[in-house]
Amino acid sequence: AQSVTQLGSHVSVSEGALVLLRCNYSSSVPPYLFWYVQYPNQGLQLLLKYTTGATLVKGINGFEAEFKKSETSFHLTKPSAHMSDAAEYFCAVSDLGDTGFQKLVFGTGTRLLVSP
Amino acid sequence: NAGVTQTPKFQVLKTGQSMTLQCAQDMNHEYMSWYRQDPGMGLRLIHYSVGAGITDQGEVPNGYNVSRSTTEDFPLRLLSAAPSQTSVYFCASSPDRSSYNSPLHFGNGTRLTVT
């Protein structure tokens, strides 16, 4: 079964600083990888995804992630943090269910704190 | 433009009670799923469905039942609530039966407390 590991349950940055949220995956086949964001008291929404093709993926709100097969990583970055980026971020990988259909497996999440 | 609607938003149950968490989507999505979110554990898949009449278990299915009689609805039933089921529950849907191909659309969650 596929899985993802997110290093760091909390990450703190200052406004304007680089954001780096780490995600490593475990997969025996080429994975489909995702980053989702959850704002307080809301459901999750998709930031970006990697399926095939270009390994540097750009998402919404200035975020991007790079798929590195050699490192089994899919870290999320943003050059300059904004106060509105404060949220919880989840990395996810697509896995094959017993019925043969794809399903998503989420990491444990990283809470991003942005200080003025 | 409702998207994924979950009811109720909050619920308190006593141990042993049963209840159904409702999930409805108006986007004609084939794929629907239920997750629970617990601190430090992220989101864990309970059950999912790839179409009417087709369901499968996720990571943590014990204590929960689902059925999919229509495309729109995917209720989650707790047969005999336990304190370990205290959690925030999210329903999510996608237009594709393979969930990787299109993003999941999430509801706003149901916060369940079992005393």
Side-chain angles (χ1 to χ4, degrees):
Chain A
Q2 325 289 37
S3 65
V4 290
T5 302
Q6 291 185 243
L7 296 175
S9 58
H10 291 80
V11 169
S12 295
V13 300
S14 299
E15 193 172 21
L18 171 73
V19 175
L20 170 61
L21 304 181
R22 299 178 187 274
C23 174
N24 288 87
Y25 67 89
S26 167
S27 173
S28 56
V29 297
Y32 301 114
L33 294 159
F34 307 80
W35 276 99
Y36 279 80
V37 60
Q38 184 183 30
Y39 298 105
N41 299 314
Q42 294 184 28
L44 282 69
Q45 54 184 283
L46 182 69
L47 266 182
L48 49 81
K49 66 176 181 179
Y50 169 78
T51 52
T52 58
T55 55
L56 182 62
V57 181
K58 294 187 186 301
I60 61 172
N61 301 337
F63 284 93
E64 60 183 37
E66 187 170 12
F67 170 63
K68 290 188 177 179
K69 186 177 177 182
S70 61
E71 299 176 8
T72 61
S73 70
F74 190 57
H75 301 331
L76 182 71
T77 60
K78 182 174 180 178
S80 176
H82 192 273
M83 296 294 291
S84 61
D85 294 327
E88 190 152 20
Y89 293 80
F90 293 91
C91 184
V93 65
S94 189
D95 194 9
L96 206 60
D98 290 339
T99 52
F101 295 103
Q102 297 279 346
K103 58 186 175 78
L104 280 186
V105 176
F106 285 86
T108 54
T110 297
R111 186 170 296 279
L112 177 66
L113 307 166
V114 182
S115 55
Chain B
N1 196 22
V4 179
T5 302
Q6 290 184 238
T7 56
K9 286 187 169 56
F10 302 94
Q11 183 70 50
V12 179
L13 289 178
K14 293 190 189 315
T15 299
Q17 286 184 316
S18 62
M19 81 158 294
T20 300
L21 278 62
Q22 302 291 347
C23 175
Q25 51 90 9
D26 60 359
M27 298 172 284
N28 202 32
H29 286 176
E30 287 196 78
Y31 180 92
M32 296 185 74
S33 54
W34 277 102
Y35 290 86
R36 59 177 289 174
Q37 184 178 25
D38 302 291
M41 306 196 74
L43 277 82
R44 293 179 292 169
L45 182 64
I46 305 172
H47 286 285
Y48 68 102
S49 168
V50 296
I54 307 170
T55 64
D56 194 13
Q57 296 182 351
E59 303 168 73
V60 289
N62 293 338
Y64 307 95
N65 271 3
V66 292
S67 60
R68 185 94 180 271
S69 56
T70 67
T71 301
E72 296 78 18
D73 300 299
F74 191 45
L76 179 72
R77 281 181 285 277
L78 282 69
L79 305 174
S80 178
S84 61
Q85 293 179 304
T86 293
S87 187
V88 181
Y89 291 85
F90 287 99
C91 180
S93 71
S94 169
D96 291 308
R97 306 181 84 178
S98 294
S99 64
Y100 71 87
N101 208 25
S102 294
L104 285 176
H105 298 253
F106 281 83
N108 284 335
T110 294
R111 188 174 294 274
L112 176 68
T113 302
V114 183
T115 61

